[in-house]
PDB file of all heavy atoms in Angstrom:
ATOM      1  N   ASP S   1      -0.259  -1.164   9.593  1.00  0.00           N
ATOM      2  CA  ASP S   1       0.005  -2.559   9.972  1.00  0.00           C
ATOM      3  C   ASP S   1       1.350  -2.626  10.696  1.00  0.00           C
ATOM      4  O   ASP S   1       2.404  -2.785  10.085  1.00  0.00           O
ATOM      5  CB  ASP S   1       0.011  -3.442   8.719  1.00  0.00           C
ATOM      6  CG  ASP S   1      -0.036  -4.922   9.077  1.00  0.00           C
ATOM      7  OD1 ASP S   1       0.512  -5.293  10.134  1.00  0.00           O
ATOM      8  OD2 ASP S   1      -0.616  -5.707   8.286  1.00  0.00           O
ATOM      9  N   LYS S   2       1.281  -2.518  12.023  1.00  0.00           N
ATOM     10  CA  LYS S   2       2.505  -2.435  12.833  1.00  0.00           C
ATOM     11  C   LYS S   2       3.390  -3.665  12.653  1.00  0.00           C
ATOM     12  O   LYS S   2       4.601  -3.547  12.468  1.00  0.00           O
ATOM     13  CB  LYS S   2       2.114  -2.261  14.306  1.00  0.00           C
ATOM     14  CG  LYS S   2       3.284  -2.140  15.274  1.00  0.00           C
ATOM     15  CD  LYS S   2       2.769  -1.874  16.682  1.00  0.00           C
ATOM     16  CE  LYS S   2       3.919  -1.775  17.675  1.00  0.00           C
ATOM     17  NZ  LYS S   2       4.555  -3.100  17.900  1.00  0.00           N
ATOM     18  N   ASN S   3       2.803  -4.841  12.686  1.00  0.00           N
ATOM     19  CA  ASN S   3       3.593  -6.073  12.579  1.00  0.00           C
ATOM     20  C   ASN S   3       4.276  -6.177  11.214  1.00  0.00           C
ATOM     21  O   ASN S   3       5.441  -6.562  11.113  1.00  0.00           O
ATOM     22  CB  ASN S   3       2.701  -7.296  12.814  1.00  0.00           C
ATOM     23  CG  ASN S   3       2.218  -7.375  14.241  1.00  0.00           C
ATOM     24  OD1 ASN S   3       2.877  -6.861  15.156  1.00  0.00           O
ATOM     25  ND2 ASN S   3       1.089  -8.021  14.450  1.00  0.00           N
ATOM     26  N   LYS S   4       3.551  -5.819  10.175  1.00  0.00           N
ATOM     27  CA  LYS S   4       4.122  -5.860   8.828  1.00  0.00           C
ATOM     28  C   LYS S   4       5.257  -4.855   8.695  1.00  0.00           C
ATOM     29  O   LYS S   4       6.306  -5.147   8.091  1.00  0.00           O
ATOM     30  CB  LYS S   4       3.031  -5.556   7.800  1.00  0.00           C
ATOM     31  CG  LYS S   4       3.507  -5.612   6.361  1.00  0.00           C
ATOM     32  CD  LYS S   4       2.353  -5.297   5.414  1.00  0.00           C
ATOM     33  CE  LYS S   4       2.829  -5.276   3.965  1.00  0.00           C
ATOM     34  NZ  LYS S   4       1.708  -4.932   3.035  1.00  0.00           N
ATOM     35  N   MET S   5       5.066  -3.675   9.274  1.00  0.00           N
ATOM     36  CA  MET S   5       6.091  -2.645   9.194  1.00  0.00           C
ATOM     37  C   MET S   5       7.340  -3.035   9.988  1.00  0.00           C
ATOM     38  O   MET S   5       8.463  -2.698   9.599  1.00  0.00           O
ATOM     39  CB  MET S   5       5.550  -1.301   9.703  1.00  0.00           C
ATOM     40  CG  MET S   5       4.446  -0.689   8.837  1.00  0.00           C
ATOM     41  SD  MET S   5       4.937  -0.343   7.128  1.00  0.00           S
ATOM     42  CE  MET S   5       4.162  -1.738   6.267  1.00  0.00           C
ATOM     43  N   GLU S   6       7.161  -3.735  11.109  1.00  0.00           N
ATOM     44  CA  GLU S   6       8.302  -4.171  11.907  1.00  0.00           C
ATOM     45  C   GLU S   6       9.171  -5.151  11.118  1.00  0.00           C
ATOM     46  O   GLU S   6      10.395  -5.161  11.246  1.00  0.00           O
ATOM     47  CB  GLU S   6       7.816  -4.814  13.209  1.00  0.00           C
ATOM     48  CG  GLU S   6       7.346  -3.811  14.237  1.00  0.00           C
ATOM     49  CD  GLU S   6       6.751  -4.462  15.469  1.00  0.00           C
ATOM     50  OE1 GLU S   6       6.256  -5.615  15.367  1.00  0.00           O
ATOM     51  OE2 GLU S   6       6.768  -3.823  16.533  1.00  0.00           O
ATOM     52  N   LYS S   7       8.525  -5.980  10.307  1.00  0.00           N
ATOM     53  CA  LYS S   7       9.289  -6.926   9.477  1.00  0.00           C
ATOM     54  C   LYS S   7       9.973  -6.212   8.315  1.00  0.00           C
ATOM     55  O   LYS S   7      11.082  -6.578   7.914  1.00  0.00           O
ATOM     56  CB  LYS S   7       8.347  -8.008   8.948  1.00  0.00           C
ATOM     57  CG  LYS S   7       7.801  -8.932  10.035  1.00  0.00           C
ATOM     58  CD  LYS S   7       6.779  -9.908   9.460  1.00  0.00           C
ATOM     59  CE  LYS S   7       6.192 -10.767  10.571  1.00  0.00           C
ATOM     60  NZ  LYS S   7       5.134 -11.672  10.049  1.00  0.00           N
ATOM     61  N   LYS S   8       9.310  -5.207   7.782  1.00  0.00           N
ATOM     62  CA  LYS S   8       9.838  -4.493   6.619  1.00  0.00           C
ATOM     63  C   LYS S   8      10.949  -3.518   7.022  1.00  0.00           C
ATOM     64  O   LYS S   8      11.948  -3.361   6.305  1.00  0.00           O
ATOM     65  CB  LYS S   8       8.714  -3.745   5.913  1.00  0.00           C
ATOM     66  CG  LYS S   8       9.149  -3.059   4.625  1.00  0.00           C
ATOM     67  CD  LYS S   8       7.934  -2.500   3.880  1.00  0.00           C
ATOM     68  CE  LYS S   8       8.342  -1.826   2.579  1.00  0.00           C
ATOM     69  NZ  LYS S   8       7.150  -1.316   1.826  1.00  0.00           N
ATOM     70  N   TYR S   9      10.772  -2.841   8.179  1.00  0.00           N
ATOM     71  CA  TYR S   9      11.746  -1.841   8.625  1.00  0.00           C
ATOM     72  C   TYR S   9      12.337  -2.296   9.964  1.00  0.00           C
ATOM     73  O   TYR S   9      11.995  -1.776  11.024  1.00  0.00           O
ATOM     74  CB  TYR S   9      11.074  -0.475   8.753  1.00  0.00           C
ATOM     75  CG  TYR S   9      10.422   0.010   7.484  1.00  0.00           C
ATOM     76  CD1 TYR S   9       9.041  -0.016   7.326  1.00  0.00           C
ATOM     77  CD2 TYR S   9      11.189   0.496   6.422  1.00  0.00           C
ATOM     78  CE1 TYR S   9       8.432   0.421   6.154  1.00  0.00           C
ATOM     79  CE2 TYR S   9      10.604   0.935   5.244  1.00  0.00           C
ATOM     80  CZ  TYR S   9       9.217   0.891   5.109  1.00  0.00           C
ATOM     81  OH  TYR S   9       8.635   1.320   3.950  1.00  0.00           O
ATOM     82  N   LYS S  10      13.196  -3.302   9.894  1.00  0.00           N
ATOM     83  CA  LYS S  10      13.707  -3.975  11.100  1.00  0.00           C
ATOM     84  C   LYS S  10      14.581  -3.072  11.973  1.00  0.00           C
ATOM     85  O   LYS S  10      14.729  -3.315  13.167  1.00  0.00           O
ATOM     86  CB  LYS S  10      14.479  -5.226  10.699  1.00  0.00           C
ATOM     87  CG  LYS S  10      13.600  -6.291  10.048  1.00  0.00           C
ATOM     88  CD  LYS S  10      14.414  -7.514   9.664  1.00  0.00           C
ATOM     89  CE  LYS S  10      13.513  -8.561   9.019  1.00  0.00           C
ATOM     90  NZ  LYS S  10      14.274  -9.771   8.598  1.00  0.00           N
ATOM     91  N   ASP S  11      15.187  -2.071  11.363  1.00  0.00           N
ATOM     92  CA  ASP S  11      16.100  -1.215  12.123  1.00  0.00           C
ATOM     93  C   ASP S  11      15.420   0.032  12.708  1.00  0.00           C
ATOM     94  O   ASP S  11      16.103   0.905  13.249  1.00  0.00           O
ATOM     95  CB  ASP S  11      17.262  -0.775  11.226  1.00  0.00           C
ATOM     96  CG  ASP S  11      18.118  -1.949  10.770  1.00  0.00           C
ATOM     97  OD1 ASP S  11      18.230  -2.923  11.537  1.00  0.00           O
ATOM     98  OD2 ASP S  11      18.655  -1.892   9.645  1.00  0.00           O
ATOM     99  N   TYR S  12      14.100   0.090  12.587  1.00  0.00           N
ATOM    100  CA  TYR S  12      13.366   1.277  13.039  1.00  0.00           C
ATOM    101  C   TYR S  12      12.531   0.946  14.278  1.00  0.00           C
ATOM    102  O   TYR S  12      12.108  -0.190  14.485  1.00  0.00           O
ATOM    103  CB  TYR S  12      12.447   1.787  11.929  1.00  0.00           C
ATOM    104  CG  TYR S  12      13.167   2.313  10.703  1.00  0.00           C
ATOM    105  CD1 TYR S  12      13.697   1.444   9.771  1.00  0.00           C
ATOM    106  CD2 TYR S  12      13.304   3.680  10.489  1.00  0.00           C
ATOM    107  CE1 TYR S  12      14.364   1.901   8.645  1.00  0.00           C
ATOM    108  CE2 TYR S  12      13.969   4.159   9.356  1.00  0.00           C
ATOM    109  CZ  TYR S  12      14.494   3.261   8.449  1.00  0.00           C
ATOM    110  OH  TYR S  12      15.143   3.725   7.337  1.00  0.00           O
ATOM    111  N   ILE S  13      12.309   1.954  15.059  1.00  0.00           N
ATOM    112  CA  ILE S  13      11.432   1.817  16.222  1.00  0.00           C
ATOM    113  C   ILE S  13       9.991   2.052  15.782  1.00  0.00           C
ATOM    114  O   ILE S  13       9.688   3.063  15.140  1.00  0.00           O
ATOM    115  CB  ILE S  13      11.799   2.836  17.325  1.00  0.00           C
ATOM    116  CG1 ILE S  13      13.206   2.575  17.854  1.00  0.00           C
ATOM    117  CG2 ILE S  13      10.783   2.808  18.457  1.00  0.00           C
ATOM    118  CD1 ILE S  13      13.729   3.660  18.771  1.00  0.00           C
ATOM    119  N   ILE S  14       9.119   1.101  16.101  1.00  0.00           N
ATOM    120  CA  ILE S  14       7.688   1.266  15.798  1.00  0.00           C
ATOM    121  C   ILE S  14       6.912   1.009  17.082  1.00  0.00           C
ATOM    122  O   ILE S  14       6.857  -0.116  17.589  1.00  0.00           O
ATOM    123  CB  ILE S  14       7.207   0.307  14.684  1.00  0.00           C
ATOM    124  CG1 ILE S  14       8.070   0.490  13.437  1.00  0.00           C
ATOM    125  CG2 ILE S  14       5.731   0.571  14.366  1.00  0.00           C
ATOM    126  CD1 ILE S  14       7.715  -0.457  12.299  1.00  0.00           C
ATOM    127  N   ASP S  15       6.338   2.072  17.654  1.00  0.00           N
ATOM    128  CA  ASP S  15       5.627   1.993  18.928  1.00  0.00           C
ATOM    129  C   ASP S  15       4.137   1.762  18.709  1.00  0.00           C
ATOM    130  O   ASP S  15       3.578   2.122  17.662  1.00  0.00           O
ATOM    131  CB  ASP S  15       5.812   3.296  19.715  1.00  0.00           C
ATOM    132  CG  ASP S  15       7.235   3.485  20.199  1.00  0.00           C
ATOM    133  OD1 ASP S  15       7.941   2.464  20.382  1.00  0.00           O
ATOM    134  OD2 ASP S  15       7.653   4.643  20.378  1.00  0.00           O
ATOM    135  N   LYS S  16       3.503   1.173  19.724  1.00  0.00           N
ATOM    136  CA  LYS S  16       2.028   1.113  19.725  1.00  0.00           C
ATOM    137  C   LYS S  16       1.486   2.519  19.825  1.00  0.00           C
ATOM    138  O   LYS S  16       2.177   3.433  20.274  1.00  0.00           O
ATOM    139  CB  LYS S  16       1.537   0.260  20.899  1.00  0.00           C
ATOM    140  CG  LYS S  16       1.859  -1.218  20.767  1.00  0.00           C
ATOM    141  CD  LYS S  16       1.203  -2.023  21.868  1.00  0.00           C
ATOM    142  CE  LYS S  16      -0.300  -2.140  21.664  1.00  0.00           C
ATOM    143  NZ  LYS S  16      -0.926  -3.086  22.627  1.00  0.00           N
ATOM    144  N   ILE S  17       0.236   2.688  19.446  1.00  0.00           N
ATOM    145  CA  ILE S  17      -0.338   4.026  19.395  1.00  0.00           C
ATOM    146  C   ILE S  17      -1.487   4.163  20.395  1.00  0.00           C
ATOM    147  O   ILE S  17      -2.213   3.197  20.661  1.00  0.00           O
ATOM    148  CB  ILE S  17      -0.826   4.352  17.961  1.00  0.00           C
ATOM    149  CG1 ILE S  17      -1.025   5.857  17.786  1.00  0.00           C
ATOM    150  CG2 ILE S  17      -2.091   3.569  17.611  1.00  0.00           C
ATOM    151  CD1 ILE S  17      -1.130   6.269  16.334  1.00  0.00           C
ATOM    152  N   SER S  18      -1.609   5.340  20.950  1.00  0.00           N
ATOM    153  CA  SER S  18      -2.771   5.668  21.792  1.00  0.00           C
ATOM    154  C   SER S  18      -3.771   6.441  20.941  1.00  0.00           C
ATOM    155  O   SER S  18      -3.442   6.937  19.861  1.00  0.00           O
ATOM    156  CB  SER S  18      -2.334   6.520  22.985  1.00  0.00           C
ATOM    157  OG  SER S  18      -1.914   7.799  22.556  1.00  0.00           O
ATOM    158  N   LEU S  19      -4.991   6.558  21.427  1.00  0.00           N
ATOM    159  CA  LEU S  19      -5.990   7.341  20.697  1.00  0.00           C
ATOM    160  C   LEU S  19      -5.601   8.812  20.623  1.00  0.00           C
ATOM    161  O   LEU S  19      -5.873   9.486  19.635  1.00  0.00           O
ATOM    162  CB  LEU S  19      -7.365   7.182  21.356  1.00  0.00           C
ATOM    163  CG  LEU S  19      -8.013   5.807  21.243  1.00  0.00           C
ATOM    164  CD1 LEU S  19      -9.398   5.811  21.896  1.00  0.00           C
ATOM    165  CD2 LEU S  19      -8.120   5.351  19.795  1.00  0.00           C
ATOM    166  N   ASP S  20      -4.948   9.322  21.680  1.00  0.00           N
ATOM    167  CA  ASP S  20      -4.463  10.710  21.649  1.00  0.00           C
ATOM    168  C   ASP S  20      -3.466  10.913  20.514  1.00  0.00           C
ATOM    169  O   ASP S  20      -3.531  11.891  19.772  1.00  0.00           O
ATOM    170  CB  ASP S  20      -3.795  11.071  22.987  1.00  0.00           C
ATOM    171  CG  ASP S  20      -4.757  11.711  23.968  1.00  0.00           C
ATOM    172  OD1 ASP S  20      -5.861  12.118  23.539  1.00  0.00           O
ATOM    173  OD2 ASP S  20      -4.427  11.799  25.152  1.00  0.00           O
ATOM    174  N   GLU S  21      -2.520   9.973  20.389  1.00  0.00           N
ATOM    175  CA  GLU S  21      -1.506  10.084  19.342  1.00  0.00           C
ATOM    176  C   GLU S  21      -2.127   9.932  17.958  1.00  0.00           C
ATOM    177  O   GLU S  21      -1.747  10.622  17.011  1.00  0.00           O
ATOM    178  CB  GLU S  21      -0.428   9.026  19.571  1.00  0.00           C
ATOM    179  CG  GLU S  21       0.429   9.280  20.808  1.00  0.00           C
ATOM    180  CD  GLU S  21       1.280   8.093  21.183  1.00  0.00           C
ATOM    181  OE1 GLU S  21       0.813   6.926  21.017  1.00  0.00           O
ATOM    182  OE2 GLU S  21       2.408   8.300  21.662  1.00  0.00           O
ATOM    183  N   LEU S  22      -3.086   9.031  17.839  1.00  0.00           N
ATOM    184  CA  LEU S  22      -3.779   8.846  16.570  1.00  0.00           C
ATOM    185  C   LEU S  22      -4.498  10.132  16.160  1.00  0.00           C
ATOM    186  O   LEU S  22      -4.404  10.574  15.009  1.00  0.00           O
ATOM    187  CB  LEU S  22      -4.792   7.703  16.690  1.00  0.00           C
ATOM    188  CG  LEU S  22      -5.616   7.409  15.447  1.00  0.00           C
ATOM    189  CD1 LEU S  22      -4.792   6.658  14.416  1.00  0.00           C
ATOM    190  CD2 LEU S  22      -6.876   6.615  15.790  1.00  0.00           C
ATOM    191  N   LEU S  23      -5.207  10.731  17.117  1.00  0.00           N
ATOM    192  CA  LEU S  23      -5.929  11.976  16.850  1.00  0.00           C
ATOM    193  C   LEU S  23      -4.965  13.069  16.402  1.00  0.00           C
ATOM    194  O   LEU S  23      -5.226  13.787  15.430  1.00  0.00           O
ATOM    195  CB  LEU S  23      -6.696  12.402  18.100  1.00  0.00           C
ATOM    196  CG  LEU S  23      -7.454  13.729  18.032  1.00  0.00           C
ATOM    197  CD1 LEU S  23      -8.548  13.675  16.973  1.00  0.00           C
ATOM    198  CD2 LEU S  23      -8.061  14.063  19.399  1.00  0.00           C
ATOM    199  N   LEU S  24      -3.851  13.187  17.100  1.00  0.00           N
ATOM    200  CA  LEU S  24      -2.865  14.225  16.780  1.00  0.00           C
ATOM    201  C   LEU S  24      -2.284  14.027  15.383  1.00  0.00           C
ATOM    202  O   LEU S  24      -2.182  14.980  14.590  1.00  0.00           O
ATOM    203  CB  LEU S  24      -1.748  14.224  17.817  1.00  0.00           C
ATOM    204  CG  LEU S  24      -0.632  15.260  17.628  1.00  0.00           C
ATOM    205  CD1 LEU S  24      -1.197  16.675  17.731  1.00  0.00           C
ATOM    206  CD2 LEU S  24       0.471  15.055  18.660  1.00  0.00           C
TER     207      LEU S  24
END
């Protein structure tokens, strides 16, 4: 849950994911 994690870890970078990155 990217949005939830952004609120919980405000000082961290959270990028969107591609299918390639998900697979890896």
Side-chain angles (χ1 to χ4, degrees):
D1 193 328
K2 181 176 179 290
N3 292 334
K4 182 180 177 181
M5 294 300 102
E6 284 175 335
K7 292 175 183 177
K8 185 172 181 178
Y9 303 105
K10 295 180 180 179
D11 296 328
Y12 294 78
I13 296 171
I14 305 177
D15 292 333
K16 291 187 72 172
I17 197 164
S18 68
L19 292 182
D20 267 346
E21 291 168 324
L22 179 76
L23 177 63
L24 180 63

